[in-house]
Amino acid sequence: MSAADERPAGIDDLLERVRAGYRRIEAEQAHEAARTGEALLVDIRYAALRERDGLIPGALVIERNELEWRLDPQGSHRVPEATGHDLHVVVICNEGYASSLAAASLHQLGLRRATDLVGGFQAWRAAGLPVEPPEA
């Protein structure tokens, strides 16, 4: 059977494959890593979710469609925090699915310490970790 004859992977298979390439992080671990300055939390949720649910204090907000451009240490559109390929980034989406694909994309840019938060923002909030309320 040739590669052209293989059935395309579904999203569940794709998520399983990309997640096998790195170790995901739980909410308490992410909180501690951010608190000690070991990791940069990056919130990729879209504005409506941030406005509805609030923000993680100290997290850098970069919407998903800008992520690679803003975190590429070699890119001309990088944020000041994108200091090198050894940066430990924890990507956070709403429930921990889009963030897995985003972390895998960051790995392709050479950010080998990129990971994502299991359960996303909802897991963070459920763990009782700090959340800044949405602005009125």
Side-chain angles (χ1 to χ4, degrees), residues 40-44 60-64 66-91 102-103 105-106 109-111 114-115:
L40 174 66
L41 304 181
V42 178
D43 187 343
I44 64 168
L60 181 63
V61 174
I62 302 175
E63 290 200 17
R64 176 64 189 98
E66 296 181 359
L67 186 68
E68 291 82 358
W69 285 268
R70 308 296 279 158
L71 290 182
D72 178 2
Q74 300 174 16
S76 59
H77 299 301
R78 70 183 175 275
V79 294
E81 293 86 350
T83 55
H85 287 95
D86 61 341
L87 181 65
H88 184 196
V89 176
V90 178
V91 183
S105 181
L106 293 177
L109 285 177
L111 294 162
T115 188

Side-chain angles (χ1 to χ4, degrees), residues 26-73:
E26 299 287 339
E28 292 286 349
Q29 294 171 293
H31 179 257
E32 182 63 15
R35 189 188 68 73
T36 61
E38 180 196 334
L40 174 66
L41 304 181
V42 178
D43 187 343
I44 64 168
R45 294 175 300 144
Y46 52 89
L49 289 175
R50 295 190 313 268
E51 291 166 4
R52 181 189 78 189
D53 294 338
L55 298 168
I56 295 172
L60 181 63
V61 174
I62 302 175
E63 290 200 17
R64 176 64 189 98
N65 63 327
E66 296 181 359
L67 186 68
E68 291 82 358
W69 285 268
R70 308 296 279 158
L71 290 182
D72 178 2

